[in-house]
Amino acid sequence: MALKGRLRDISLTQLLNLIRLARKTGALTINGRDGRVELYFKEGKVIHASLNGDGDLASLLLKSGRIQESKLQALVRQLGTSDDKELGLRLINAGYVSRSDILRAVRKHTLDVVLTALTWEDGDFQFELNKPPPPGRIVVPINLDSIVREGDQRQKELVELQEELPDLNVSVRFTENPGTDLSNIKLSRDEWRVISFINPRNTLAQIARYSGLDEFQIRRIVLKLMQNGLVEIVGPQAGRPQPAPQGASISAGKQMERPPSRPARSKPKAPAVEKGVVRRLINFIRGL
Amino acid sequence: MQTVKMVVTGPFAAGKTEFIRTISEIAVVSTERRISDFTRTIKDHTTVAMDFGRITVDDDLVLYLFGTPGQRRFDFMWEILAEGMLGFIVMVDSTRSETFREAKQIIEIFRSYTDTPFVVAANKQDLEDAWPPEDLRIILELEPWIKVLPCVATDKESVKTVLLELLYTILESYDN
């Protein structure tokens, strides 16, 4: 049996909360505008994730910069298998990486995929109970509590970033006179990657695609570069679209008026009929 | 003669009319009309006023079941129907996750009217895509003492169980 629905009706935060509280084991697949996410869970913890089929150990280690591409490719060729566990063991035995390097890379990737999916506002989802991750993949159990908290935080930040930089179909260029001391700026690997694509002919949406970044990441990086005076937007920005609504309406119909907020719920009060009447009803319905 | 009232509420097409029809001793007095809008893809007829069913216990006691209209433009009737009720049942179509948020809001609204006991009936549990009742409890953010019951509104035993569970909840409320 599978739980199915759409993210616009039940958010990923709600789904992760359900999986955490019900300690579910299985696979959650989301098909959204930006691709397909697969999240695997064991007893309420996320253990493996992939975005558009990525997440194999070789690419994770390359992305983390822990190993040279030539060495890795030679080993993969020699091994002749796509089994991540086997590859990981060989890499450790060859002294190229440590066990903690591997676990850290897998953990970071899983978190990145979940956090990316948390910014998706729509997409069809399906949770298949007890479906395991693909064979050979390395799994790292991660508690969902902190992910759900971080997802909430990231969603708020995304709304702010969308207000600051609403249109990703604009280009940026390097400023001629950066108003800051460049020697004091430290850039991450992703930021360097974005910088390598900066060109008035590339839109931010294209740079995001080339760099493998989602909307949240590209906005955050470009805004940081703009705040440091390194880049500026080319030409006027397009009209500022409204940020995504928080909690889409239920349907096309009229929005229901929400009741006033109430204090913590107490158990219901007894009705104004005698207890004996309720007992008579029970006895009668039992006999129907 | 004493009459008592229970209300069956829930989103559009959750199975409220069917629930009352299954247990009522009279043909349900239902003001159903053919649907003319987009919701027609879900079902052909809907309740535009209310459903009304009856269970006669004896010469002195009658239970009336009122079903609220599922469409939003009849919200104004909810408070009128809720007045003086013994308890209420929130029907949820367990196979249509797009209605869960609406079900949650309906529960909030009814709870804002009154502290009357209620249960949630997770309807259509006979279908393959039904969300289990315990998953619905988490999605609807219900407290642990609120009963979320598996239900098949066309099955008399299932409907009886839901009604009985509501009555047991009402009985327990005398001790609170």
Side-chain angles (χ1 to χ4, degrees):
Chain A
M1 189 181 65
L3 303 180
K4 291 177 186 169
R6 289 186 71 167
L7 287 187
R8 73 175 183 191
D9 300 317
I10 298 176
S11 69
L12 182 56
T13 307
Q14 283 179 291
L15 286 172
L16 294 180
N17 214 29
L18 167 66
I19 290 163
R20 179 179 67 92
L21 291 173
R23 295 173 60 83
K24 286 186 181 293
T25 296
L28 177 66
T29 307
I30 307 167
N31 286 300
R33 194 190 61 185
D34 297 326
R36 177 188 173 92
V37 157
E38 287 173 55
L39 305 175
Y40 295 87
F41 302 88
K42 188 171 182 189
E43 292 173 0
K45 291 181 177 175
V46 61
I47 56 169
H48 178 70
S50 76
L51 173 62
N52 296 323
D54 72 353
D56 61 286
L57 183 61
S59 54
L60 296 189
L61 290 173
L62 280 178
K63 200 174 168 186
S64 71
R66 303 303 301 182
I67 188 167
Q68 286 175 359
E69 191 168 0
S70 54
K71 282 183 182 172
L72 186 67
Q73 279 178 350
L75 197 62
V76 169
R77 266 198 307 275
Q78 190 186 347
L79 204 59
T81 172
S82 58
D83 189 309
D84 282 351
K85 288 176 184 166
E86 208 171 319
L87 176 64
L89 279 174
R90 293 291 286 271
L91 287 167
I92 294 168
N93 290 338
Y96 292 148
V97 292
S98 65
R99 185 174 175 272
S100 63
D101 286 336
I102 292 175
L103 294 182
R104 205 177 300 125
V106 173
R107 184 185 163 85
K108 183 182 182 308
H109 174 74
T110 303
L111 281 173
D112 283 348
V113 173
V114 178
L115 291 173
T116 297
L118 277 166
T119 63
W120 291 7
E121 289 169 355
D122 200 4
D124 293 319
F125 70 79
Q126 176 166 317
F127 182 82
E128 290 166 274
L129 210 57
N130 297 323
K131 183 181 173 183
R137 289 295 164 99
I138 295 169
V139 297
V140 178
I142 305 172
N143 209 318
L144 286 173
D145 295 18
S146 54
I147 297 180
V148 171
R149 269 199 305 276
E150 186 166 347
D152 274 346
Q153 182 58 36
R154 198 169 160 140
Q155 189 61 38
K156 284 179 197 146
E157 201 182 333
L158 177 63
V159 171
E160 287 169 14
L161 290 173
Q162 281 171 332
E163 285 173 359
E164 294 283 329
L165 189 59
D167 190 358
L168 290 183
N169 289 313
V170 295
S171 305
V172 290
R173 67 179 170 209
F174 292 108
T175 50
E176 289 185 12
N177 297 305
T180 185
D181 181 0
L182 294 180
S183 60
N184 289 335
I185 299 175
K186 286 183 181 163
L187 296 175
S188 68
R189 174 176 285 268
D190 283 341
E191 288 162 349
W192 277 117
R193 198 176 296 146
V194 169
I195 279 181
S196 70
F197 288 112
I198 284 181
N199 182 317
R201 282 176 300 182
N202 290 338
T203 66
L204 297 183
Q206 287 169 325
I207 295 175
R209 206 160 47 244
Y210 301 150
S211 320
L213 300 174
D214 61 31
E215 288 188 16
F216 175 84
Q217 292 166 317
I218 188 74
R219 279 193 169 92
R220 190 151 71 169
I221 289 173
V222 171
L223 276 171
K224 181 185 170 187
L225 298 176
M226 284 170 66
Q227 280 158 5
N228 282 314
L230 288 176
V231 298
E232 60 190 7
I233 289 178
V234 179
Q237 275 212 52
R240 293 168 77 95
Q242 291 297 308
Q246 290 296 292
S249 65
I250 303 161
S251 69
K254 181 182 96 179
Q255 185 76 25
M256 274 190 286
E257 190 180 332
R258 291 192 71 80
S261 58
R262 289 156 56 94
R265 298 285 185 194
S266 55
K267 290 194 177 177
K269 288 182 183 155
V273 297
E274 288 177 18
K275 210 172 176 177
V277 171
V278 179
R279 288 211 174 96
R280 280 164 68 194
L281 285 168
I282 289 172
N283 288 336
F284 184 79
I285 290 172
R286 273 183 188 153
L288 278 176
Chain B
M1 186 177 68
Q2 185 169 10
T3 60
V4 288
K5 174 171 81 173
M6 283 184 186
V7 170
V8 183
T9 186
F12 170 76
K16 303 180 287 291
T17 303
E18 202 58 52
F19 183 93
I20 296 172
R21 186 174 286 153
T22 299
I23 197 78
S24 174
E25 68 195 20
I26 56 167
V28 171
V29 182
S30 175
T31 324
E32 288 196 331
R33 290 288 179 272
R34 225 175 146 70
I35 296 170
S36 56
D37 59 16
F38 73 99
T39 47
R40 191 161 170 183
T41 54
I42 300 168
K43 64 175 188 175
D44 284 339
H45 291 77
T46 194
T47 307
V48 293
M50 62 183 185
D51 290 322
F52 172 67
R54 190 181 71 195
I55 298 172
T56 305
V57 176
D58 52 37
D59 290 345
D60 296 326
L61 181 60
V62 174
L63 170 66
Y64 290 125
L65 295 170
F66 289 90
T68 61
Q71 287 179 307
R72 210 65 56 67
R73 56 182 178 272
F74 298 103
D75 291 3
F76 65 92
M77 291 187 64
W78 293 359
E79 192 160 9
I80 300 166
L81 284 174
E83 205 175 306
M85 63 186 171
L86 188 63
F88 63 100
I89 295 159
V90 182
M91 298 290 295
V92 183
D93 181 340
S94 314
T95 66
R96 289 177 56 223
S97 56
E98 68 269 26
T99 66
F100 295 169
R101 191 185 291 142
E102 186 181 359
K104 185 167 179 266
Q105 290 191 327
I106 290 171
I107 291 169
E108 287 292 312
I109 289 172
F110 268 80
R111 292 179 91 179
S112 73
Y113 297 150
T114 171
D115 279 330
T116 306
F118 73 100
V119 296
V120 175
N123 194 21
K124 305 189 186 177
Q125 285 294 314
D126 53 333
L127 300 182
E128 196 186 341
D129 286 344
W131 286 54
E134 280 315 303
D135 288 353
L136 279 177
R137 172 193 301 287
I138 295 170
I139 291 292
L140 298 175
E141 295 178 34
L142 294 170
E143 295 88 337
W145 64 80
I146 295 167
K147 292 174 184 167
V148 184
L149 307 159
C151 177
V152 177
T154 51
D155 177 59
K156 191 174 178 182
E157 285 307 310
S158 177
V159 171
K160 270 173 64 181
T161 302
V162 172
L163 275 179
L164 283 169
E165 288 295 338
L166 175 58
L167 286 164
Y168 297 146
T169 305
I170 293 165
L171 208 53
E172 285 162 15
S173 69
Y174 287 91
D175 303 325
N176 292 338

